[in-house]
Amino acid sequence: MQLEKHNKTPNLKALLTTATCALLGSATNSASAQDNWELDTALMYYGESDRVTAIEAIIAGQKTYDNDEVLSLKLTLDSLTGASANGAVAQPQAQTFTRPSGNGSYTENAGKTPLDDTFKDTRLQLTGQWTQPLTYAEFEDYTLSIGGNVSKEYDYLSVSINGNLARDLNNKNTTLSAGLAYSFDKIEPEGGIPKPLATMVIGDNDSETFEQAFEQTRIRADDDKKTLDLLLGLTQVINRRMIVQLNYSYSSVDGYTTDPFKVISVVDSEGYTQRYLYENRPNERVKHAFFGQAKYHFESTILDASYRFMTDDWEIDSHTIDLRYYIPLSRGHYIEPHVRYYTQSAAEFYQPFLIQGQVTPTYVSADYRIGDMNAYTLGIKYGMPLNSGDRLAFRVEYYKQSPKSNGTNAIGVLNDVELYEEINAVIAQITYSF
Amino acid sequence: MNQNTSQRTVICTTRDGGYSLTFEAMASPCEVLLDHTDKERAIAIGDAVATEAWRIEDKYSRYKSDSVCGQLNANAGQQCAIDQETFQLLQFAQQCYDISEGLFDITSGILRKAWHFDGSENIPTQTSIDSLMPLIGWQRVTFNSEQYKMLAGMEIDFGGIGKEYAVDKALMLARELTDAPMLINFGGDIAVSGPRAENTPWIIGIEHPSFDEAHVVYVKITHGAIATSGDAKRFLQVGNKRYGHVLNVKTGWPVENPPSSITIAAPKCVQAGILATLALLQGENAESYLAMADIQHWIIK
């Protein structure tokens, strides 16, 4: 008897915890079921020095139903204004470009990286997701989630659907998940889709000969692409302080991946620009991404560290390291410093410029976003509960993007201009949750 | 009109760091200590907590004939319909019965008919105890999520879990209303929402319930709950032998030499309450029982 008791008492706490969860835990559920939506609203400002400015407003809602079904909806409105690099190299003299629409032109000053100032758009995006535990006895450890997304801007439409199945194992200490997503994107740029590698027509935009010549550089009004994503995930509770997540994702894009607003300069042997060609990218792209994340709960602080490696058949390899450190202060206030480092290698068809007389490759782009680059983000978030029970948070971040040479030697006058201009941006966000 | 009902008011007073809301419920003084600067808000939270305490009192008090408990007792022997909350409480009682190997039993209150702990010498006869024993035993109860039935003559009482349950429920309710640090105390059963400002703990004094000395043990908590069990004032004395009020449900007689008082810390008040009761039932072995199960406790012998 004594021995038996000895064996049983250590379980006392655990048994009682289970019993209490049943008593109070389910009471919590039935109480929260009467709750209304949990809403998050956020207003974000993103500003690059001399380039793009974006304002984004988000309203996101989540509602949990009686049997742990969760419906989440999110509406995002972005407004972009400003200028973005068009791909051409800077020159010792001013350069004039025809606008992508064919209506008018814009001029960039000598020595400056050419920016297309017609960059202006408003995007509306609606996302919905439904998640529920499966109720059939043999599938009680499974959770199913399905969702969809529609995003519309002036010349772009994107729709997608996704499904995910997760299974809890090992007392919910392990979760395996598999997901599938399919998206369809359609682009309908004003002025139509440019003919790949055609020379930009520059001249008197109002003349009939210009219009005819411009039409020659257009192939159709719109184009589209389809993307299939597969995701496999493993989440593992290591101990009561640490949780680890590992993901693998596969993404296959089929269709129009070219940026219709980007060009590449063709320069002579002294580096002077002779003409601009519309860029051209392959119709397929296959990406593999590996993601690992660990969260560690110290006495009061939480460290969230993640690493992502992405590789694709365009030969872009990227590495991202992201660190966040949650530090609670008194009365529910907290700060969260954030550091992110990103580095990528260029796509195989990336060139800062082409040289006249040399063979033009089938695929070529001077878009710095697929060139070699490093990027850093430094930021801090400050959050606080309000007496009403609502939560307020502020985030400020500094972002620096440094494009690098892919090994191409600058020639002639290009030695005197900045081919790989840095971008500095400030991000500020206010989030209010109630 | 019940006398208790007429006294249902919440009194708000200022205290260091915020407000104190006091009221009477479940035959105990109750209080909410709230570190909040807004008086109107404090009063609203105090009202919500008191309303929940009174709701649970009205529903589960064995002294009220129209309560769920009173109705189940009045209709012993018959099948009675129960609601979800009652089912959850009965299930919890069932699990505590299992965990304690039958020592914790909400049908044992009927032994009060034999034992009157009034400080006198009137210990009951074995015959009177024996006559009650067939009416005790959770194994004689059947219930599911819809219905409850026990033998005619049996009684249940939620005395061992009701007040602690009310503390946990009231705290859950209040936390939906505010993030401000708060302590809820229903007659010594206490739960806190978290630490006070600058991560400082709440300091709670536990009075020794005996006649002679009134030394106080101070307990610091930042999270969770504490509950105290034991009452040295309730006993019978025959010669040198003192019979404490903690009864062993299996024999119908008092547990020998239980501590005067046991205070337990646990994440939830119901857990602390059950553990305090279970430890008292171990009598002399209370301390080693708690130590072995690795439970934070304060014992007054």
Side-chain angles (χ1 to χ4, degrees):
Chain A
M1 185 64 199
Q2 204 57 36
L3 187 65
E4 194 186 6
K5 203 160 251 171
H6 204 292
N7 283 338
K8 288 197 174 171
T9 32
N11 281 331
L12 193 58
K13 264 189 186 174
L15 290 168
L16 202 51
T17 302
T18 315
T20 310
C21 280
L23 178 64
L24 298 171
S26 46
T28 320
N29 279 350
S30 56
S32 66
Q34 297 154 7
D35 274 355
N36 289 324
W37 287 80
E38 259 182 50
L39 292 174
D40 280 325
T41 54
L43 192 64
M44 188 180 83
Y45 165 86
Y46 170 90
E48 292 175 357
S49 49
D50 304 329
R51 293 198 187 181
V52 173
T53 301
I55 304 278
E56 183 176 85
I58 298 174
I59 177 159
Q62 184 162 315
K63 188 174 168 76
T64 304
Y65 294 86
D66 278 345
N67 300 314
D68 290 338
E69 298 106 339
V70 179
L71 175 65
S72 45
L73 293 173
K74 182 173 161 183
L75 188 68
T76 309
L77 182 68
D78 296 302
S79 169
L80 262 70
T81 50
S84 132
N86 70 2
V89 289
Q91 289 286 289
Q93 72 285 340
Q95 302 181 75
T96 298
F97 301 90
T98 299
R99 293 194 188 281
S101 62
N103 300 322
S105 59
Y106 59 97
T107 300
E108 186 57 76
N109 292 336
K112 296 283 191 185
T113 301
L115 303 178
D116 177 356
D117 62 358
T118 43
F119 204 57
K120 186 170 185 174
D121 219 331
T122 301
R123 182 177 66 125
L124 187 66
Q125 185 179 10
L126 178 67
T127 305
Q129 197 78 24
W130 174 262
T131 304
Q132 68 168 80
L134 293 186
T135 46
Y136 314 103
E138 60 268 41
F139 290 112
E140 61 177 358
D141 297 326
Y142 288 82
T143 304
L144 179 70
S145 182
I146 51 168
N149 171 66
V150 181
S151 158
K152 177 71 185 131
E153 45 198 297
Y154 176 64
D155 58 2
Y156 203 89
L157 170 73
S158 177
V159 285
S160 71
I161 50 168
N162 72 75
N164 188 289
L165 189 65
R167 183 181 185 189
D168 293 323
L169 299 165
N170 187 14
N171 256 339
K172 295 203 171 182
N173 283 326
T174 308
T175 305
L176 294 176
S177 66
L180 198 63
Y182 183 80
S183 66
F184 174 82
D185 294 58
K186 184 177 179 184
I187 185 164
E188 198 172 3
E190 201 176 350
I193 300 282
K195 186 175 175 182
L197 308 178
T199 299
M200 178 188 277
V201 187
I202 300 163
D204 176 4
N205 299 93
D206 297 328
S207 76
E208 220 168 275
T209 47
F210 174 86
E211 271 177 34
Q212 282 171 2
F214 183 79
E215 277 313 309
Q216 291 297 309
T217 67
R218 304 288 122 171
I219 45 175
R220 54 186 159 272
D222 57 61
D223 213 329
D224 56 57
K225 71 176 178 194
K226 296 156 190 108
T227 307
L228 179 69
D229 290 299
L230 297 170
L231 181 80
L232 296 174
L234 165 71
T235 306
Q236 177 69 47
V237 176
I238 305 293
N239 53 40
R240 73 186 176 86
R241 292 194 178 277
M242 190 173 180
I243 183 165
V244 166
Q245 185 178 1
L246 297 172
N247 283 348
Y248 162 74
S249 67
Y250 168 89
S251 173
S252 169
V253 185
D254 180 18
Y256 187 71
T257 65
T258 302
D259 187 330
F261 309 121
K262 300 284 187 233
V263 296
I264 183 166
S265 302
V266 180
V267 301
D268 65 15
S269 56
E270 283 161 31
Y272 288 103
T273 298
Q274 304 301 303
R275 56 202 165 93
Y276 312 102
L277 305 185
Y278 292 105
E279 67 154 58
N280 189 32
R281 305 186 191 188
N283 281 329
E284 285 175 355
R285 184 178 186 183
V286 174
K287 288 188 218 179
H288 302 270
F290 302 88
F291 173 75
Q293 182 181 34
K295 285 188 189 180
Y296 191 87
H297 198 310
F298 294 94
E299 278 309 310
S300 61
T301 59
I302 302 170
L303 179 67
D304 178 345
S306 71
Y307 167 73
R308 180 191 299 275
F309 170 67
M310 198 278 291
T311 182
D312 69 16
D313 62 355
W314 287 4
E315 292 185 9
I316 297 177
D317 288 351
S318 73
H319 305 266
T320 312
I321 296 168
D322 193 292
L323 296 172
R324 285 165 206 269
Y325 192 54
Y326 177 90
I327 306 166
L329 308 171
S330 65
R331 291 183 167 235
H333 291 230
Y334 67 91
I335 52 170
E336 189 182 62
H338 175 212
V339 180
R340 181 176 176 271
Y341 172 73
Y342 175 84
T343 182
Q344 83 175 22
S345 63
E348 59 175 331
F349 53 85
Y350 168 81
Q351 290 292 333
F353 53 86
L354 292 171
I355 299 169
Q356 192 170 32
Q358 292 184 354
V359 178
T360 304
T362 314
Y363 300 116
V364 70
S365 171
D367 187 348
Y368 72 94
R369 294 172 301 181
I370 57 167
D372 289 84
M373 73 154 81
N374 296 331
Y376 310 84
T377 305
L378 274 178
I380 192 155
K381 186 175 177 181
Y382 181 78
M384 67 182 85
L386 302 176
N387 274 341
S388 56
D390 300 348
R391 295 181 307 281
L392 186 63
F394 302 92
R395 181 164 71 99
V396 178
E397 294 194 326
Y398 169 72
Y399 175 67
K400 183 187 188 75
Q401 201 177 45
S402 313
K404 293 184 300 179
S405 164
N406 67 336
T408 306
N409 289 322
I411 53 173
V413 294
L414 296 182
N415 285 301
D416 305 326
V417 296
E418 183 53 79
L419 290 180
Y420 309 101
E421 201 171 73
E422 283 185 344
I423 294 172
N424 296 290
V426 170
I427 299 160
Q429 187 176 34
I430 301 177
T431 311
Y432 184 66
S433 309
F434 56 95
Chain B
M1 187 78 178
N2 186 309
Q3 202 188 351
N4 278 342
T5 317
S6 62
Q7 292 169 351
R8 288 190 166 176
T9 48
V10 181
I11 297 160
C12 178
T13 47
T14 314
R15 48 168 267 282
D16 180 34
Y19 292 95
S20 166
L21 297 310
T22 52
F23 56 94
E24 287 274 334
M26 295 171 279
S28 305
C30 301
E31 62 178 347
V32 181
L33 305 182
L34 190 65
D35 288 350
H36 200 302
T37 48
D38 183 342
K39 186 173 182 181
E40 249 176 64
R41 193 87 192 140
I43 290 171
I45 289 160
D47 282 344
V49 167
T51 304
E52 180 68 356
W54 293 326
R55 179 189 75 80
I56 291 170
E57 176 179 8
D58 289 343
K59 191 165 176 183
Y60 295 109
S61 167
R62 72 185 162 95
Y63 302 108
K64 300 190 177 198
S65 59
D66 58 348
S67 75
V68 169
C69 184
Q71 286 298 302
L72 290 178
N73 288 338
N75 294 298
Q78 297 168 42
Q79 208 55 271
C80 303
I82 54 170
D83 70 356
Q84 172 74 10
E85 187 179 31
T86 306
F87 170 65
Q88 285 172 343
L89 275 167
L90 291 169
Q91 233 183 356
F92 183 71
Q94 162 88 52
Q95 281 161 323
C96 292
Y97 175 83
D98 293 342
I99 291 167
S100 68
E101 295 168 330
L103 276 183
F104 180 88
D105 192 328
I106 65 168
T107 64
S108 63
I110 203 165
L111 282 169
R112 272 186 300 262
K113 288 186 175 171
W115 291 93
H116 303 280
F117 297 101
D118 49 10
S120 72
E121 294 183 1
N122 301 328
I123 62 163
T125 59
Q126 186 64 45
T127 320
S128 66
I129 292 171
D130 287 347
S131 68
L132 293 172
M133 291 309 278
L135 299 175
I136 299 171
W138 188 249
Q139 73 280 7
R140 299 185 169 107
V141 168
T142 54
F143 74 103
N144 60 30
S145 61
E146 309 293 330
Q147 292 180 314
Y148 175 88
K149 187 184 178 188
M150 60 185 167
L151 299 183
M154 285 178 75
E155 284 181 11
I156 54 165
D157 107 55
F158 293 95
I161 44 180
K163 195 148 60 76
E164 294 86 343
Y165 172 68
V167 169
D168 286 332
K169 286 284 286 183
L171 182 65
M172 278 161 58
L173 196 79
R175 288 185 77 160
E176 286 180 17
L177 302 175
T178 181
D179 287 334
M182 152 173 51
L183 177 147
I184 290 182
N185 174 7
F186 293 174
D189 290 325
I190 295 166
V192 303
S193 64
R196 304 184 67 186
E198 271 80 47
N199 248 326
T200 54
W202 297 89
I203 298 169
I204 297 157
I206 303 164
E207 285 179 30
H208 191 284
S210 65
F211 300 118
D212 37 9
E213 39 185 326
H215 69 261
V216 179
V217 175
Y218 288 100
V219 172
K220 288 181 181 179
I221 59 169
T222 53
H223 290 92
I226 61 168
T228 301
S229 204
D231 183 351
K233 289 177 192 163
R234 295 172 61 203
F235 63 91
L236 296 178
Q237 185 126 11
V238 181
N240 281 335
K241 189 154 175 77
R242 181 181 267 228
Y243 295 89
H245 79 290
V246 184
L247 297 170
N248 183 332
V249 59
K250 293 178 181 174
T251 61
W253 284 79
V255 170
E256 297 220 346
N257 302 321
S260 301
S261 148
I262 297 179
T263 298
I264 301 283
K268 296 287 178 196
C269 202
V270 282
Q271 294 169 330
I274 288 291
L275 288 167
T277 306
L278 289 185
L280 270 187
L281 289 167
Q282 307 299 318
E284 286 180 328
N285 301 322
E287 184 121 48
S288 59
Y289 173 82
L290 289 168
M292 213 153 61
D294 188 25
I295 288 158
Q296 198 184 359
H297 61 277
W298 297 265
I299 285 186
I300 298 170
K301 292 239 167 74

